[in-house]
C-alpha cells in the first residue's frame, strides 16, 4: 500500500471506530441514571460506614455547569467501554494489514480475548473500590467533614478501572507475540521470578493499602491470567514444533546448518596455478 492508501485506510477505520463510540454513547445517555447508580455504589457504601462512625462524607457538585460535565464524562467513558469490541477490532485491523490469510483470524481472536479480559480487570477494580476509598478517606481528621467533588471522584474511579483493565491485557500481548514468533514460552518460564515480581508490583501500585492480604487478593487474578497465557504459549510452541517436524524443518541447530552450508576447502586448492605464472 502507498502512503495515500494507508491514510485512506486509517480514515476509514477511524470513522467506523467513531461511529461505534457514538452509538455506545447514545445507549449510555439513555441509561444514564442506571450507570450513575453503579458508579456511585462504592461511594455510598463508604458514606454509610462513615455515618455509623459519626463522620461526614458527602459527594458534592460545585458549579452551575458541572452536573452537565459529569453526565457528559460518564456518557463518553461508557460509550468507549460499550464500543470496545468495535474500535479495538478496527485498531487491530489497521495495525496488522500484512498478515497472511490464516493469520487474519488473529484479529477476531484478539478482540474476543481482549474485551472480556479488560472488563474482568475493570470488574476486579470495581470490587475493590470501596476498600480503596475507605483507606484514603480514613486519613480525614476528627470533626472534619469530607466533601468530595463528584468530578474528582469520577476521575479517580476511571483511572483505577482503566489501570486494572490494561493490566489484564499484558498477558494477551505475550500470547500475540508468541503467535507472531517473537516470544517463546521457554523465555517466560525461565523468567518466572520477574513475572511474579511484576504481578506483585502491579498489585501494590493498584491497591495502595498497607494490608498485604488485600495486595495478594488483587495479585491473584493477575497471576492466574499470566499462568494461563504462559500455558497457551507453551501449547502453541508444541504445535509449532510438531508441524516443523512433520515438514522436516527444525531438525538442525543454527550452528549445525551453518557448518553444513560452509564449503570444505582442500589445502591443495590454495596452491598457485600455472595460469597465474603466465599472467605475471
Amino acid at each position: 500500500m502507498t502512503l495515500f492508501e494507508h491514510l485512506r485506510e486509517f480514515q476509514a477505520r477511524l470513522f467506523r471506530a467513531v461511529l461505534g463510540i457514538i452509538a455506545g454513547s447514545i445507549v449510555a445517555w439513555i441509561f444514564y441514571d442506571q450507570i450513575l447508580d453503579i458508579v456511585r455504589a462504592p461511594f455510598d457504601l463508604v458514606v454509610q460506614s462513615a455515618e455509623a462512625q459519626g463522620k461526614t462524607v458527602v459527594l458534592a457538585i460545585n458549579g452551575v455547569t458541572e452536573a452537565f460535565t459529569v453526565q457528559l464524562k460518564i456518557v463518553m467513558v461508557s460509550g468507549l467501554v460499550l464500543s470496545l469490541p468495535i474500535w479495538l477490532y478496527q485498531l487491530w485491523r489497521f495495525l496488522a494489514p500484512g498478515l497472511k490469510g490464516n493469520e487474519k483470524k488473529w484479529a477476531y481472536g484478539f478482540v474476543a480475548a481482549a474485551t472480556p479480559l479488560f472488563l474482568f480487570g475493570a470488574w476486579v477494580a470495581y470490587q475493590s473500590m470501596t476498600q480503596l476509598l475507605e483507606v484514603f478517606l480514613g486519613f480525614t481528621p476528627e470533626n472534619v467533614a469530607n466533601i468530595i467533588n463528584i468530578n474528582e471522584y469520577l476521575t479517580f474511579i476511571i483511572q483505577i478501572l482503566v489501570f486494572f483493565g490494561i493490566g489484564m491485557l499484558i498477558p494477551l500481548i505475550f500470547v500475540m507475540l508468541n503467535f507472531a514468533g517473537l516470544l517463546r514460552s521457554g523465555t517466560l518460564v525461565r523468567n518466572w521470578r520477574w513475572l511474579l515480581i511484576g504481578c506483585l508490583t502491579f498489585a501494590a501500585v493498584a491497591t495502595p493499602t498497607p494490608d498485604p492480604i488485600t495486595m495478594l487478593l488483587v495479585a491473584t487474578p493477575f497471576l492466574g491470567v499470566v499462568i494461563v497465557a504462559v500455558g497457551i504459549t507453551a501449547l502453541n510452541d508444541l504445535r509449532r514444533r510438531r508441524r516443523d517436524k512433520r515438514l522436516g524443518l527444525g531438525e538442525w541447530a543454527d550452528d549445525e546448518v551453518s557448518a553444513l552450508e560452509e564449503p570444505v576447502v582442500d589445502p591443495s586448492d590454495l596452491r598457485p596455478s600455472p595460469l597465474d605464472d603466465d599472467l605475471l
Side-chain angles (χ1 to χ4, degrees):
M1 297 176 65
T2 63
L3 177 60
F4 179 76
E5 290 174 339
H6 277 294
L7 293 176
R8 188 170 55 184
E9 176 73 10
F10 175 76
Q11 182 182 14
R13 297 294 179 187
L14 181 61
F15 180 73
R16 296 169 187 171
V18 171
L19 284 181
I21 295 174
I22 293 176
S25 300
I26 293 175
V27 175
W29 187 280
I30 297 174
F31 296 96
Y32 169 73
D33 294 334
Q34 293 81 352
I35 297 175
L36 181 61
D37 292 337
I38 295 175
V39 173
R40 286 189 52 181
F43 193 87
D44 291 339
L45 294 177
V46 175
V47 171
Q48 295 175 5
S49 176
E51 291 178 350
Q53 301 175 7
K55 299 180 180 180
T56 302
V57 179
V58 180
L59 192 63
I61 293 179
N62 301 324
V64 178
T65 61
E66 191 166 15
F68 174 75
T69 304
V70 169
Q71 182 168 349
L72 191 62
K73 180 182 291 188
I74 293 178
V75 167
M76 290 297 297
V77 174
S78 301
L80 285 171
V81 174
L82 292 176
S83 61
L84 181 64
I86 298 176
W87 59 263
L88 199 59
Y89 173 77
Q90 297 299 328
L91 176 63
W92 176 253
R93 287 302 303 268
F94 175 75
L95 295 178
L99 295 178
K100 300 179 182 178
N102 59 337
E103 294 172 340
K104 290 182 179 179
K105 299 178 182 179
W106 294 4
Y108 300 98
F110 179 80
V111 174
T115 302
L117 282 176
F118 183 88
L119 295 178
F120 176 70
W123 177 81
V124 172
Y126 182 79
Q127 295 299 320
S128 60
M129 187 59 59
T130 303
Q131 290 77 9
L132 290 175
L133 292 173
E134 288 179 350
V135 169
F136 288 120
L137 298 180
F139 292 99
T140 304
E142 295 291 338
N143 302 322
V144 175
N146 205 326
I147 301 176
I148 307 299
N149 183 273
I150 189 172
N151 218 343
E152 296 179 357
Y153 170 70
L154 283 178
T155 303
F156 173 78
I157 191 173
I158 289 172
Q159 289 177 349
I160 297 297
L161 295 180
V162 172
F163 189 76
F164 272 72
I166 294 177
M168 283 295 180
L169 295 181
I170 295 178
L172 179 61
I173 297 176
F174 292 160
V175 175
M176 299 306 297
L177 290 176
N178 177 262
F179 275 49
L182 302 176
L183 182 65
R184 298 294 183 182
S185 60
T187 304
L188 297 175
V189 173
R190 287 192 299 269
N191 294 275
W192 66 269
R193 296 178 181 85
W194 290 108
L195 293 177
L196 179 60
I197 294 175
C199 291
L200 295 176
T201 303
F202 185 87
V205 174
T207 57
T209 64
D211 184 10
I213 304 300
T214 304
M215 185 189 70
L216 292 177
L217 291 176
V218 174
T220 299
F222 289 106
L223 186 60
V225 175
V226 170
I227 293 175
V228 172
V230 174
I232 294 175
T233 58
L235 292 176
N236 185 57
D237 288 344
L238 179 61
R239 179 191 61 83
R240 186 182 289 117
R241 285 194 297 268
R242 290 179 177 177
R243 181 199 60 187
D244 294 344
K245 184 177 181 181
R246 184 175 64 253
L247 298 177
L249 302 175
E251 297 181 358
W252 303 93
D254 294 339
D255 53 351
E256 295 176 333
V257 174
S258 301
L260 290 175
E261 292 179 351
E262 292 179 356
V264 179
V265 180
D266 189 353
S268 60
D269 296 337
L270 300 178
R271 293 176 298 178
S273 63
L275 181 59
D276 297 332
D277 298 334
D278 296 339
L279 293 175
L280 294 175

